[in-house]
Amino acid sequence: MNIVFWGLQAVLALLFLAGGSYKAFSFQQLASQFSELPHGGWRALGVLEMAGGVLLIVPAALKWMPSLTAHAAAVLTIETFALAALYARHSTKMTPENPMIWALVMGVLAAFVAYGRYVLKPLVSATA
């Protein structure tokens, strides 16, 4: 089960780093389509996603405060579901082009990692 969580963490880390960098540095298209958030809001979400992507891997891999991995997964779950709700205000079509679908899938996977790292297979620090 630990291998499954590590695999999911790696995939989610890459997806959140990519999506976060897009939101932080190339947000003009997003801001024009979804005007509910200002430019600074997209940047903040991007930085949050990039930080979360790093925290999904680094603390657990270094065995330094590994509980940060579970916390990051929980925060990313909440952020991703909130973003899916924002996307749903514009379109609820079940098509691959709809970012709501991708946000929901990533949110469910992040929730599974958070649950797994809190309950099923918690990470322990090197000193424990």
Side-chain angles (χ1 to χ4, degrees):
M1 192 62 142
N2 198 33
I3 294 171
V4 171
F5 288 125
W6 273 108
L8 280 175
Q9 285 171 229
V11 168
L12 284 173
L14 291 174
L15 288 171
F16 278 114
L17 285 170
S21 63
Y22 178 75
K23 287 178 186 85
F25 304 118
S26 302
F27 56 84
Q28 288 82 12
Q29 183 181 5
L30 279 172
S32 65
Q33 290 177 349
F34 304 103
S35 59
E36 287 88 357
L37 283 178
H39 293 292
W42 286 111
R43 264 203 187 119
L45 284 177
V47 169
L48 174 74
E49 286 184 9
M50 288 188 300
V54 169
L55 289 174
L56 281 173
I57 298 293
V58 174
L62 298 179
K63 292 185 173 55
W64 177 78
M65 295 180 64
S67 63
L68 284 177
T69 296
H71 297 319
V75 168
L76 289 172
T77 299
I78 293 166
E79 184 264 343
T80 306
F81 284 148
L83 200 55
L86 176 75
Y87 292 145
R89 292 183 62 175
H90 290 279
S91 175
T92 55
K93 289 184 189 176
M94 295 297 182
T95 62
E97 294 84 24
N98 189 352
M100 178 195 69
I101 304 301
W102 297 103
L104 286 174
V105 169
M106 288 175 61
V108 167
L109 292 175
F112 180 67
V113 168
Y115 175 74
R117 290 306 186 189
Y118 278 123
V119 178
L120 298 178
K121 188 73 175 160
L123 294 166
V124 293
S125 63
T127 59

